[in-house]
Structure formats: C-alpha cells, structure tokens
Amino acid sequence: ERVKKKVLEEADQRHQVLSQLKDSTILNELSTLHNEGIKLVDPTDKSGSFRGREKVHEHLSSMVKNAQKTITLMNSKDGFDRKYELLVNSFKKAAKKGIKINIATTIGANKEIVKDLSKIANVKTVKNVANTRFCIIDNKEMLFFLTDDKTVHQSYDSAVWIEAPHFVNYFNSLFDVEMKQ
C-alpha cells in the first residue's frame, strides 16, 4: 500500500507539472519553433560591430568570399585603394562564379585600379559618394562603416554588420540611384 501511495503521489505531481506546462507560453513557443523552424530567429540577433580596420576587413573578406549572387561596394577614394588590395583576388574568383559585382567610388580614384576592376565588375566613379563606405552581399547582409577614414586612425575605424533584408534593400536602392546618375 505504501509503494502504491508513493507511485500515485509521483504520478499526481507529474500530472500537475504537465498541466501547468500545457498552458505555458514556453510550450507555445516550442511548438511554433518546431512547426516553422529556425526562420523565427529575430533579425536583431543577426548583427555585430567591429572596431579596428583589420577586424573590419577580416569580416568584409569573409562576406565577399561567401557571396552567392551579388557584391555591391561603395567606397571613399582611399578606401577604394585598400579594398582593391584586400579583395581583388576574391573579386576575380567571384566573377568566375558568375557573381555580379558593382562598385562605386569617388571621382579621382586610382584610374589603374578602376581599369583593372572594370574587367570583372561594373565600376563607376560618382560625385556624391563623399566618404560613404558600405558593402552589400546578396541583397541580404551589409557592412556599414561608421567613421570617416580620412579623419580616424585605422585602429579606431569601425563598422556595423547587419543581416536584415529590408534595411539592406533600402541602401541597395540608394546605391542604384547613384549608379544611374
């Protein structure tokens, strides 16, 4: 009888826990996650910041190497020279894969580099870029530089990475306007 009573008490406790769990928000979230999968990841979880030009460039290189469809790059004159040294081989590999590459930089950029990159990319020098620097990959992720590379030491250069297609599409439309002018 004592064992029987103990088993009934444990069963009753488990029943209470399951009843509470049944009505909890945790079970609802787990059910939704199970049914809809990982797409429920909050877009704010897909962002990061980098400080120091070396770290920013490491992430930028990784993004370019993982591109599948498009690479869009807007740079200052000095940034254009640095990105050429950093990314020219990755750009060539991407072009061989059929990835579309669009690059905008300021008027006065190194003509030799413009000529070389024009063989594999759509390169345009524009007036209104100023010191705007960003890179968009596959219209879904973006690296946006926060500082002016002329006024900040390279160790303080910083950028924000974000994977948020709605936000990225806005910057892509701004880039398209510049390229058409």
Side-chain angles (χ1 to χ4, degrees):
E1 285 297 315
R2 195 182 63 190
V3 172
K4 186 177 173 182
K5 183 178 176 185
K6 180 85 169 160
V7 168
L8 285 173
E9 285 176 4
E10 287 177 5
D12 189 41
Q13 287 176 345
R14 288 182 181 161
H15 177 72
Q16 288 177 355
V17 168
L18 289 174
S19 295
Q20 290 173 349
L21 187 60
K22 178 180 147 191
D23 298 327
S24 74
T25 58
I26 293 172
L27 187 62
N28 289 336
E29 289 179 27
L30 287 173
S31 294
T32 305
L33 184 59
H34 175 73
N35 293 332
E36 296 182 22
I38 199 160
K39 292 183 181 177
L40 290 176
V41 173
D42 187 356
T44 59
D45 292 339
K46 295 187 172 192
S47 62
S49 63
F50 303 91
R51 185 172 178 185
R53 193 168 293 150
E54 187 175 317
K55 287 184 174 70
V56 174
H57 283 178
E58 284 175 17
H59 190 74
L60 179 61
S61 291
S62 173
M63 289 172 60
V64 168
K65 287 175 185 173
N66 292 323
Q68 300 294 313
K69 298 175 186 171
T70 61
I71 299 169
T72 302
L73 184 67
M74 183 174 277
N75 261 297
S76 64
K77 180 181 158 291
D78 295 335
F80 182 68
D81 295 344
R82 285 191 300 270
K83 300 310 177 291
Y84 176 79
E85 290 177 32
L86 176 71
L87 300 171
V88 67
N89 292 330
S90 296
F91 284 158
K92 287 177 182 177
K93 288 176 185 175
K96 284 181 183 177
K97 291 183 199 174
I99 296 171
K100 185 179 177 185
I101 304 169
N102 291 307
I103 302 171
T105 189
T106 55
I107 292 176
N110 185 322
K111 291 179 183 177
E112 294 294 320
I113 294 175
V114 170
K115 183 178 177 181
D116 188 42
L117 284 177
S118 293
K119 296 173 187 173
I120 57 171
N122 177 20
V123 181
K124 186 169 182 183
T125 54
V126 292
K127 294 178 188 176
N128 300 328
V129 173
N131 291 321
T132 304
R133 302 180 293 152
F134 63 83
C135 181
I136 298 172
I137 303 293
D138 297 332
N139 295 324
K140 66 178 185 176
E141 67 177 315
M142 175 179 187
L143 186 69
F144 185 81
F145 290 78
L146 300 174
T147 52
D148 182 347
D149 60 348
K150 288 184 179 180
T151 61
V152 173
H153 187 270
Q154 68 180 15
S155 61
Y156 292 104
D157 205 0
S158 58
V160 172
W161 167 79
I162 186 165
E163 186 176 326
H166 179 71
F167 181 77
V168 172
N169 283 336
Y170 174 73
F171 273 88
N172 218 9
S173 66
L174 291 176
F175 183 87
D176 289 343
V177 167
E178 283 299 323
M179 291 298 275
K180 289 176 184 173
Q181 290 183 2

